[in-house]
Amino acid sequence: MIRLRVLVGVSALLATVSACTSSSQPCAGVGVTSGVGVMFLREGYSDLVGASYELCARGTCATGELQQEDITRVNLGLPDDVDPDGGTVRFRVTPKGSTSPEIDASTDVKLVRQSDGCGGGAYSRGLAFTKKGGLTTKIPPSLTAAWRRHLKELAAPSTGATTESP
């Protein structure tokens, strides 16, 4: 009787673990989360190093401090059961030592479903912010190119040579 219970338990576990692998397509099953992200190109702005940012949507906000970068990606995680219908996304940046934001932009956004390849998924949306274009769901090619350059710079090995003294 114990062997039968163990066999049933192991079978159930294997069925659960392999649920996504029963198809011929690979199953991601991880890495898909609900949220809103903004790629922010600082071109045309004064020094915003140390400035605080706030990204809000669906009654939730993410805050932080900007680092020394020409392009930044800011993310706000949302609950998995978030309502995908239209709602306002607001992005604010306040320079260090100031009480009034230099950037205060908002737009109405409908979230888009991303599948995890296993029958699940999440609702999210990527946005862009540039001085010229404001906050938009249409990511300009120049911003995409700047983000790719940024990622390549992060991936490149350091070129600074060190010397050791004898």
Side-chain angles (χ1 to χ4, degrees):
M1 188 64 165
I2 293 175
R3 281 186 168 179
L4 180 60
R5 286 184 185 165
V6 170
L7 182 59
V8 169
V10 170
S11 297
L13 178 62
L14 286 174
T16 302
V17 170
S18 64
C20 289
T21 60
S22 62
S23 75
S24 61
Q25 295 291 328
C27 175
V30 293
V32 179
T33 59
S34 294
V36 175
V38 175
M39 287 192 337
F40 167 40
L41 186 61
R42 297 189 201 177
E43 187 176 279
Y45 286 97
S46 61
D47 182 21
L48 292 177
V49 174
S52 62
Y53 69 81
E54 181 180 59
L55 177 61
C56 300
R58 310 298 199 276
T60 305
C61 294
T63 60
E65 194 173 282
L66 297 176
Q67 303 301 311
Q68 176 66 44
E69 300 172 316
D70 293 331
I71 188 168
T72 301
R73 186 171 174 191
V74 177
N75 294 303
L76 167 64
L78 295 172
D80 288 335
D81 63 349
V82 68
D83 180 7
D85 291 335
T88 301
V89 173
R90 186 173 193 170
F91 180 58
R92 286 186 190 168
V93 176
T94 304
K96 190 174 186 174
S98 178
T99 57
S100 58
E102 185 167 339
I103 298 167
D104 191 353
S106 60
T107 188
D108 285 334
V109 173
K110 184 175 180 177
L111 301 179
V112 177
R113 181 162 172 77
Q114 291 182 308
S115 172
D116 67 359
C118 297
Y123 289 97
S124 62
R125 191 62 185 249
L127 296 106
F129 183 85
T130 62
K131 189 166 190 170
K132 184 178 177 182
L135 186 61
T136 180
T137 57
K138 297 181 187 210
I139 300 178
S142 61
L143 187 62
T144 302
W147 183 250
R148 284 186 183 136
R149 282 191 305 275
H150 176 72
L151 292 177
K152 284 181 182 178
E153 289 171 6
L154 291 175
S158 175
T159 58
T162 60
T163 58
E164 293 182 25
S165 48

